[in-house]
Amino acid sequence: MSMQTLTVTTSTTTYPVIVAEGALTELAGQLAALGLRGRPWLITDTNVMPLHGSALLAALRTAGYDAQAIAVPAGEASKSIEVLGQLYDWLIAGGVERRDVILALGGGVIGDLAGFAAASVLRGIAVVQLPTTLLAMVDAAVGGKTGINHPLGKNLIGAFHQPRLVLADTATLTTLPPRELRAGWAEVIKHGVILDVGLFTELEQFATAVQGSGDQLAIDARMTAIIRRAVAVKVGVVSRDEREQGERIILNYGHTIAHAVETLSGYGHILHGEAVAIGMHAEARIALALGLCDEALVERQHALLCAYGLDPTLPPNLDPAALVAATLRDKKVEARKVRWVLPTAIGSVVVRDDVPEAMVGW
Ligand code: NAD
Ligand code: GLY
């Protein structure tokens, strides 16, 4: 197993990020190496528990850890104050201590929820992120954003709480439903467009190779290396800008339109990654209209999104006025101006707040 380690280094903390097939088998050793010798509290969801949680719990106990586990209902609805309260009850009734560690095993829902439980219980204990979706590996598990939803909006309650370790085991992706895997590719492609033209080119070559073999789901060394390279983009961005004071905003490429599309189509109908693919195409077209990039970029990005099974077409039934109104509710709005992340070349973006409303969704 290749255990090449990436490292997040911010002004306040540093931690390893390991992306490898079979990485979860190294968890007990990695905890010991980091001096995390308290009790592990494994938080996962009802889908992931039988697939990967039970084996992990057994391995930790075999390694001598007094590990506990809980599975919350799978799905976005678990990012709620009610489920968070149940986690506090479980942790506190079970005698959680400051030296203990929460293990967040699952997709972004579990990473955000368990991460926030770790940020807040006993005023903060250690968390280790163990992402099992492609989206969580390349985005949610790295960077310390944790939180839950409020009935009035997504991710409105939370904290920055950096993990002590991120262990992304690409073997867990073999059980991920194909639609969830496809949605994750949108974020991988996004990382290529915003900062890494080499990653983008590799993705083009990889798409050709897997289409040739007709086997898009095989998780192999090459796919693991591509995922690691996409993770490295996020590792670099959060190392340079931990609290989103500047550069980190570029991770939101495609997300202004994506959030508007998700809001207008009703949460749950369209996966986040699917909406990001739509958003990246629409936002590249805005860049084209502003003369920031050429048609070739828009077409190349469109072709790559399609090659990974994504449909970047703006849903035809979306009302353009409603779309504009929804972008104005974006979290990145300042003084009623949307801050757009727009591509100038593959691997390079700029932030603009002067996009005329007429260009949104044209
Ligand atoms: P998710 O956590 O709901 O996982 C998607 C589905 O896949 C769920 O049904 C889950 O049970 C299942 N699943 C997970 N791993 C599996 C596996 N290996 N095999 C089989 N099934 C598996 O969704 P997601 O797309 O991973 O994450 C979305 C969430 O992440 C959103 O709440 C979003 O706000 C958050 N997010 C956070 C950040 C951040 O920086 N903190 C970044 C991006 C997204
Ligand atoms: N998902 C965007 C960020 O972590 O900043």
Side-chain angles (χ1 to χ4, degrees):
M1 185 198 323
S2 164
M3 292 290 282
Q4 296 163 35
T5 303
L6 303 165
T7 307
V8 172
T9 304
T10 71
S11 56
T12 57
T13 188
T14 182
Y15 57 91
V17 178
I18 296 169
V19 183
E21 206 177 337
L24 278 179
T25 58
E26 305 290 322
L27 178 60
Q30 291 290 334
L31 292 178
L34 288 167
L36 293 167
R37 296 182 192 281
R39 288 164 83 197
W41 300 80
L42 176 66
I43 299 176
T44 188
D45 74 24
T46 45
N47 288 337
V48 177
M49 186 71 197
L51 294 168
H52 307 289
S54 304
L56 188 64
L57 184 66
L60 286 168
R61 288 180 174 163
T62 302
Y65 282 96
D66 178 15
Q68 314 296 315
I70 191 169
V72 304
E76 186 71 26
S78 278
K79 271 176 59 174
S80 68
I81 195 82
E82 291 77 18
V83 175
L84 180 67
Q86 290 162 15
L87 293 181
Y88 291 145
D89 293 348
W90 174 66
L91 290 162
I92 293 166
V96 66
E97 295 181 5
R98 292 294 301 275
R99 64 196 289 268
D100 292 350
V101 55
I102 285 181
L103 307 176
L105 176 74
V109 164
I110 291 300
D112 283 7
L113 173 70
F116 189 48
S120 47
V121 75
L122 306 183
R123 297 201 182 91
I125 67 170
V127 63
V128 167
Q129 292 285 352
L130 305 170
T132 62
T133 65
L134 182 53
L135 181 139
M137 288 180 188
V138 300
D139 193 357
V142 177
K145 283 187 180 174
T146 71
I148 57 170
N149 301 325
H150 184 274
L152 293 180
K154 253 177 79 81
N155 298 329
L156 293 183
I157 300 161
F160 280 96
H161 188 56
Q162 298 292 347
R164 295 287 300 277
L165 164 72
V166 180
L167 210 57
D169 184 346
T170 52
T172 61
L173 298 178
T174 52
T175 60
L176 193 64
R179 187 176 171 198
E180 296 286 352
L181 189 65
R182 275 197 296 277
W185 283 117
E187 300 282 1
V188 176
I189 295 169
K190 180 200 75 181
H191 285 183
V193 177
I194 62 173
L195 269 183
D196 188 349
V197 63
L199 170 62
F200 192 94
T201 310
E202 244 186 272
L203 284 164
E204 288 177 326
Q205 291 162 356
F206 186 59
T208 311
V210 291
Q211 271 165 7
S213 72
D215 184 5
Q216 196 147 12
L217 279 181
I219 311 295
D220 59 11
R222 186 170 177 194
M223 193 193 279
T224 297
I226 288 173
I227 295 170
R228 188 183 299 119
R229 186 166 180 164
V231 174
V233 169
K234 175 125 192 202
V235 163
V237 171
V238 300
S239 293
R240 293 187 291 272
D241 179 20
E242 182 181 8
R243 295 278 172 142
E244 202 165 311
Q245 304 294 303
E247 183 189 353
R248 190 163 174 169
I249 193 178
I250 72 173
L251 295 170
N252 290 305
Y253 172 50
H255 284 57
T256 302
I257 297 277
H259 289 150
V261 168
E262 284 175 290
T263 305
L264 296 180
S265 36
Y267 283 103
H269 293 287
I270 187 161
L271 297 180
H272 178 64
E274 293 167 343
V276 168
I278 293 168
M280 286 168 64
H281 183 55
E283 293 178 20
R285 283 168 55 85
I286 291 173
L288 176 65
L290 288 174
L292 294 172
C293 72
D294 56 19
E295 185 93 43
L297 179 148
V298 180
E299 283 171 10
R300 207 173 149 199
Q301 177 187 268
H302 185 271
L304 192 59
L305 291 166
C306 293
Y308 282 82
L310 295 152
D311 177 4
T313 320
L314 202 60
N317 53 349
L318 283 189
D319 170 23
L323 193 68
V324 170
T327 60
L328 284 169
R329 289 194 293 272
D330 192 89
K331 267 192 293 204
K332 297 176 295 302
V333 169
E334 278 180 8
R336 274 192 61 82
K337 284 187 170 171
V338 180
R339 296 168 69 216
W340 294 90
V341 181
L342 301 173
T344 53
I346 301 292
S348 172
V349 286
V350 290
V351 180
R352 294 278 294 256
D353 66 2
D354 58 349
V355 173
E357 288 183 2
M359 279 187 189
V360 178
W362 60 275

